[in-house]
Amino acid sequence: MAAYEEQEDLDRLKTWWKNYGNSVVFGIALGVAILVGFRYWTQHTEQQRHDAAAVYDRMFQNFHAKKSADTRQLGESLMNEYSSTPYAGMAGLLLARLEFEAGDAAKARERLQWVLKNADDAAVQHAARLRLARIHLD
């Protein structure tokens, strides 16, 4: 009798696997793919932020060393390649300052408008608004 019940259970399991086995395998594969993709994405964004921080640090050092051309080049790189990081907005503020100090108020306004449009940090946007207002008052 026990062997008959075991065979009956085995037959039910085989029938269930035949009906739902592909869905189970697909669900497990999908879950693994989502986990791997999420891990890759978080590592990628963290690496982007780290790289942007290094570029911003070099830009800031060049700014204090009065190397305007190098500062502009690194700032452009931050704004173009790392626009999704907070460092791009800060680079835009610094480039606007360089442009304003060089006497090019129109270019400074353009940089500040870019910061307002692209920066995610509210403090950076507020600083850009204030500086833009200051330029308009001049």
Side-chain angles (χ1 to χ4, degrees):
M1 183 96 168
Y4 178 73
E5 289 176 2
E6 286 179 13
Q7 185 60 37
E8 200 174 271
D9 288 343
L10 186 60
D11 288 341
R12 268 191 259 141
L13 180 63
K14 285 181 182 179
T15 303
W16 183 88
W17 185 256
K18 187 177 181 181
N19 290 332
Y20 302 108
N22 289 338
S23 298
V24 169
V25 170
F26 178 74
I28 290 171
L30 182 63
V32 168
I34 287 171
L35 288 174
V36 168
F38 179 73
R39 183 157 176 100
Y40 169 78
W41 178 252
T42 56
Q43 286 178 342
H44 173 72
T45 55
E46 190 63 34
Q47 185 63 41
Q48 285 278 36
R49 287 183 185 146
H50 179 71
D51 294 346
V55 172
Y56 184 76
D57 185 45
R58 284 198 327 260
M59 178 187 173
F60 203 68
Q61 289 172 0
N62 285 336
F63 175 75
H64 284 295
K66 307 288 186 205
K67 297 178 182 176
S68 297
D70 293 339
T71 302
R72 281 187 179 90
Q73 180 186 8
L74 291 170
E76 290 288 336
S77 172
L78 274 171
M79 292 170 69
N80 294 329
E81 297 170 26
Y82 301 103
S83 62
S84 63
T85 66
Y87 297 100
M90 295 187 302
L93 289 176
L94 196 57
L95 288 177
R97 180 178 174 181
L98 275 176
E99 301 298 348
F100 186 76
E101 288 175 354
D104 192 356
K107 187 74 171 172
R109 249 184 267 125
E110 182 182 314
R111 300 276 190 201
L112 291 171
Q113 290 291 347
W114 185 92
V115 171
L116 283 174
K117 188 186 306 180
N118 295 298
D120 293 332
D121 188 9
V124 172
Q125 286 181 339
H126 186 65
R129 257 187 237 103
L130 289 173
R131 291 179 186 181
L132 192 58
R134 199 177 302 155
I135 289 175
H136 283 298
L137 287 175
D138 284 343

